[in-house]
Amino acid sequence: MTGDGATIASLDARLIRVPLTRPWGADVTAVGVIATHVVRSDGGEGWGFSWTPQIGAEAVHALLTNDIAAAAVGREAEPGAQWRAVWQHLHEAGGGGITTIALAGLDLALWDAATRAAGTSLAGFLGPRRHSVRAYGSGVNLHYSLEELVAQVRRWVDAGFDAVKVKVGKPDVAEDLERLQAVREVLGPDRSLMIDANQRWELDRATRSLEALAAVAPAWIEEPLRADDLHGHIELAGRLKASSGIPIAVGENLHNVFRFDDFLRTGAAQIVQPNVVRVGGITPFLGITAIAAEYGAAVHPHLLPELSGQLALTLPAVPGVPEPMAEDVEDAGFGALGVLDGPSPVRIADGTLTEVPHAGLGIRFS
């Protein structure tokens, strides 16, 4: 908790370009990190960040330095207390996307300040529900050759992962199937295989593709359609329920609690994957996970394991619902990219994420 009556005294932000060791495509060779720093009226400090691959980092930085800082200074510094008010202030620029990505920079810094003031980690502050989280190997690999893809999956198996996720969406589904059959051969029957279409299909193509790809027993299909297409997802969910039963996972491109509620309430998705930055920070992330629990949907946070893994440690167990998993994209973590000013706050080994002792969020950028 903050000191009595503590307010936000200042908010600063700086933009960092972080080259990716393994480019996510010809046009995604780096990610943008907007590192934030909050000072409270009681002297407490907190460090947070916003994040976006390649597109929009300058816009996020401008929104933080111009609009969010002006709106935030003088407001209560308690984490979450002013989130909705600032979101409403930004709403003319959009209810999600750039606005919520930028708002995360403030929200995370406020949570960091409060957690540091309490002398504990984020999990300690929120209350841990488990000591470790299952992690899965992930990669942006649709552009990989078959040989490169198989080699990546072998690295994951050798590293102890018992679940992996690969991209699908080649022009011919026969090529997708060939690639997934090769992956399944490496994994064997007992490891989980998830597939991610990254919004590449329309409804009928998704239906035909998943009829073929069901042969490799995918644990879920992620973003089969454009994330904006709620009714398409509703129809596809009905088709899959009557055929292969493959669950639909969405969330990395849903940006506020209302959209998550839409997809869960209508049965358009069975698994949600909120990205803690894209939804606006820890405050809305916790609201989204509470809604998912009400609907009996699994929550597997999207990317950013240094932070989302900490949050996964705190999510309540829901009877009959799979435990949260953390996504570990190969060579893409902040620690692996060498941009942290200190050790990573989490450790991933043998397919398991655990917390490393630290204060606050444990994420500061060099």
Side-chain angles (χ1 to χ4, degrees):
M1 304 292 287
T2 64
D4 291 342
T7 59
I8 300 168
S10 67
L11 169 66
D12 299 307
R14 60 190 174 96
L15 173 59
I16 308 164
R17 287 287 181 188
V18 181
L20 289 166
T21 305
R22 300 177 185 275
W24 292 353
D27 58 344
V28 187
T29 60
V31 295
V33 172
I34 302 87
T36 55
H37 176 222
V38 155
V39 178
R40 303 187 318 200
S41 61
D42 62 359
E45 295 180 89
W47 289 264
F49 67 97
S50 294
W51 166 96
T52 182
Q54 202 78 7
I55 300 296
E58 287 81 2
V60 170
H61 181 248
L63 202 60
L64 273 160
T65 55
N66 295 332
D67 297 291
I68 294 177
V73 169
R75 291 182 183 269
E76 185 181 353
E78 185 70 25
Q82 297 295 321
W83 190 94
R84 188 177 182 90
V86 179
W87 177 69
Q88 289 173 330
H89 174 74
L90 298 171
H91 205 274
E92 286 186 7
I98 294 293
T99 52
T100 49
I101 291 169
L103 187 48
L106 171 64
D107 187 75
L108 297 184
L110 291 174
W111 279 93
D112 185 61
T115 307
R116 287 177 182 276
T120 185
S121 68
L122 179 63
F125 190 80
L126 291 173
R129 304 296 182 104
R130 54 190 63 81
H131 297 295
S132 65
V133 172
R134 183 185 180 200
Y136 66 90
S138 182
V140 184
N141 46 30
L142 190 64
H143 61 296
Y144 284 18
S145 69
L146 178 59
E147 293 73 20
E148 290 171 328
L149 177 61
V150 167
Q152 183 179 52
V153 175
R154 289 193 187 281
R155 289 194 295 273
W156 286 328
V157 170
D158 291 344
F161 289 100
D162 67 359
V164 308
K165 185 174 76 182
V166 302
K167 304 296 186 182
V168 295
K170 291 289 188 180
D172 186 346
V173 71
E175 185 177 0
D176 278 331
L177 181 57
E178 178 189 17
R179 290 163 65 87
L180 292 181
Q181 286 171 331
V183 168
R184 176 55 78 190
E185 186 173 343
V186 175
L187 293 177
D190 297 327
R191 295 184 182 89
S192 298
L193 169 59
M194 294 82 79
I195 59 175
D196 182 359
N198 278 122
Q199 310 181 79
R200 287 184 176 85
W201 295 331
E202 44 74 35
L203 178 60
D204 288 337
R205 186 181 171 200
T207 304
R208 293 192 302 270
S209 296
L210 291 169
E211 287 173 354
L213 301 182
V216 298
W220 73 61
I221 173 62
E222 187 170 329
E223 287 199 322
L225 312 174
R226 292 301 308 177
D228 311 276
D229 186 2
L230 173 62
H231 291 287
H233 281 88
I234 294 170
E235 175 64 22
L236 181 61
R239 294 180 184 185
L240 292 175
K241 187 176 181 180
S243 57
S244 63
I246 299 171
I248 294 175
V250 299
E252 69 175 275
N253 287 295
L254 304 181
H255 296 111
N256 62 51
V257 66
F258 302 104
R259 290 301 283 162
F260 280 90
D261 185 73
D262 288 341
F263 274 76
L264 291 170
R265 175 167 37 85
T266 59
Q270 295 74 53
I271 296 164
V272 291
Q273 303 163 301
N275 180 295
V276 64
V277 168
R278 286 178 174 167
V279 300
I282 292 168
T283 300
F285 178 93
L286 295 176
I288 289 163
T289 59
I291 288 176
E294 288 293 324
Y295 287 111
V299 177
H300 303 305
H302 175 252
L303 290 185
L304 307 173
E306 287 91 351
L307 178 56
S308 60
Q310 294 186 63
L311 287 165
L313 293 170
T314 72
L315 299 182
V318 180
V321 176
E323 293 271 297
M325 290 195 293
E327 180 179 15
D328 184 28
V329 174
E330 187 176 34
D331 294 334
F334 293 141
L337 293 172
V339 296
L340 293 181
D341 184 14
S344 172
V346 303
R347 177 175 182 264
I348 299 175
D350 298 321
T352 300
L353 179 145
T354 53
E355 187 178 55
V356 173
H358 65 276
L361 306 187
I363 301 172
R364 290 180 63 179
F365 293 90
S366 54

